[in-house]
């Protein structure tokens, strides 16, 4: 009888532990924790490192992004992010000196509603007095839908956070790992979806259930300008490590002054008969 009592006690403990682990792995807590953060004037700070490795040149390009993402009562309302490309000795050896200064300049993207304003975007000369280019989401868009910085997976939308967690094949307390397809994550945006990518992810949440780190990895084909002045097909392997911190911080994202903004379609490089070489 004593053995049965001990066995019953152990079984009860295991059941309780299993229930606790199941609760920790449930997507409900992170999703509800995220919803509770949505309030006007509040948001979260971001720091991100993106590494892109080219199969043809075997170079790795590193971009570091910092900034803030603002919330309203219903979710994300905008962001203010600044990205800087790391100038490595290898990059200095391959990029013409006259272009290095352009690469050193930070790129700042400010999103308010459906408009994104970009500073440091190189697309030919800017009109006098203009320092920002506006992408309005209709005729031209900045990046892919759901993309902020270099991160293509959105975990700041409750619905998408729930979807990402549902694709986890490894679940540990505070950690989810799995693989998803971007066409399943962003079905409503049609041609503005990210390319049909298969993305592996590692999502970490804190004790309060809020995302604290998201690491994604994917590969995609594109073209790269070779040393022989030719476009060559290459495979880019992307690893993006995004950290979310200072949840509930005071965040206010505002558009730049209209007098300093030019619409992307109105840039001189986009006017008829303007000679410009564009990257395919």
């Amino acid at each position: 009888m004593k053995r049965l009592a001990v066995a019953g006690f152990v079984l009860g403990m295991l059941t309780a532990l299993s229930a606790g682990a199941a609760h920790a792995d449930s997507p409900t807590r992170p999703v509800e924790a995220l919803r509770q953060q949505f309030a006007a004037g509040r948001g979260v700070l971001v720091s991100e490192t993106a590494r892109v490795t080219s199969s043809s040149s075997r170079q790795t390009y590193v971009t570091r992004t910092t900034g803030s993402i603002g919330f309203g009562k219903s979710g994300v309302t905008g962001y203010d992010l600044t990205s800087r490309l790391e100038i490595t000795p290898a990059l200095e050896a391959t990029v013409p000196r006259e272009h290095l200064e352009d690469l050193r300049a930070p790129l700042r993207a400010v999103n308010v509603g459906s408009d994104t304003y970009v500073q440091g975007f190189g697309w030919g000369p800017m009109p006098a007095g203009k320092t920002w280019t506006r992408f309005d989401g209709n005729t031209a868009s900045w990046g892919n839908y759901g993309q902020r910085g270099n991160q293509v997976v959105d975990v700041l939308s409750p619905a998408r956070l729930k979807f990402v967690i549902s694709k986890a094949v490894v679940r540990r307390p505070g950690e989810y790992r799995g693989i998803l397809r971007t066409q399943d994550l962003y079905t409503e945006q049609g041609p503005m979806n990210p390319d049909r990518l298969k993305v592996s992810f590692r999502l970490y949440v804190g004790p309060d259930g809020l995302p604290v780190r998201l690491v994604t990895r994917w590969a995609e084909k594109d073209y790269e300008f070779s040393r022989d002045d030719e476009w060559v097909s290459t495979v880019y392997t992307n690893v993006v490590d995004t950290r979310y911190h200072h949840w509930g911080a005071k965040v206010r994202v505002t558009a730049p002054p209209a007098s300093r903004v030019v619409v992307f379609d109105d840039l001189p490089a986009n006017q008829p008969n303007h000679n410009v070489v564009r990257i395919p």
Side-chain angles (χ1 to χ4, degrees):
M1 291 295 292
K2 189 174 181 181
R3 287 184 182 177
L4 289 176
V6 172
F9 173 77
V10 172
L11 181 60
M13 287 295 293
L14 290 175
T15 302
L17 289 172
S18 297
H23 177 74
D25 286 344
S26 169
T28 303
R29 189 183 179 203
V31 170
E32 289 306 316
L34 175 62
R35 284 200 179 101
Q36 291 174 11
Q37 294 295 311
F38 295 157
R42 298 292 175 174
V44 63
L45 305 189
V46 176
S47 58
E48 176 179 283
T49 300
R51 290 179 169 83
V52 183
T53 303
S54 163
S55 63
S56 57
S57 67
R58 297 185 179 180
Q59 279 209 61
T60 296
Y61 307 92
V62 180
T63 302
R64 304 189 190 280
T65 300
T66 57
S68 59
I69 298 175
F71 298 149
K73 291 183 178 180
S74 301
V76 174
T77 58
Y79 60 77
D80 187 341
L81 301 173
T82 300
S83 301
R84 291 176 174 82
L85 178 67
E86 187 176 284
I87 306 300
T88 62
L91 193 59
E92 288 183 327
T94 56
V95 175
R97 183 174 299 178
E98 61 270 22
H99 296 320
L100 276 176
E101 286 309 307
D102 292 334
L103 293 179
R104 292 184 197 278
L107 187 147
R108 184 179 175 191
V110 175
N111 171 261
V112 180
S114 61
D115 295 332
T116 304
Y117 305 83
V118 183
Q119 191 176 55
F121 168 73
W123 195 260
M126 296 283 284
K130 307 297 183 181
T131 57
W132 293 86
T133 302
R134 177 167 69 86
F135 296 81
D136 59 18
N138 295 319
T139 56
S141 293
W142 177 256
N144 294 309
Y145 183 75
Q147 181 174 356
R148 304 181 187 98
N150 289 284
Q151 187 57 264
V152 296
V153 175
D154 177 15
V155 293
L156 299 184
S157 156
R160 293 192 176 89
L161 174 59
K162 183 176 181 180
F163 177 80
V164 170
I165 292 175
S166 74
K167 293 298 180 182
V169 294
V170 175
R171 294 172 180 240
R172 298 171 182 167
E175 181 182 359
Y176 303 90
R177 297 189 183 193
I179 297 175
L180 55 81
R181 299 183 304 172
T182 51
Q183 63 265 35
D184 295 331
L185 190 61
Y186 305 111
T187 56
E188 74 275 31
Q189 289 298 308
M192 287 315 300
N193 285 355
D195 294 331
R196 299 172 67 87
L197 305 174
K198 182 182 289 186
V199 182
S200 65
F201 68 87
R202 286 182 292 163
L203 172 65
Y204 301 89
V205 299
D208 54 5
L210 291 170
V212 294
R213 185 183 182 191
L214 173 64
V215 182
T216 54
R217 181 186 180 94
W218 73 93
E220 57 187 322
K221 292 182 180 179
D222 210 327
Y223 291 89
E224 185 173 62
F225 203 56
S226 71
R227 294 182 180 181
D228 300 324
D229 294 338
E230 294 181 352
W231 290 104
V232 295
S233 178
T234 188
V235 174
Y236 290 104
T237 300
N238 301 263
V239 179
V240 182
D241 187 342
T242 307
R243 312 291 180 105
Y244 305 96
H245 54 98
H246 291 82
W247 285 91
K250 291 183 179 180
V251 173
R252 183 183 178 189
V253 181
T254 57
S259 61
R260 310 290 290 177
V261 175
V262 58
V263 178
F264 174 75
D265 286 351
D266 294 338
L267 285 172
N270 292 330
Q271 302 311 303
N273 304 320
H274 188 280
N275 246 344
V276 62
V277 177
R278 300 186 183 182
I279 299 175

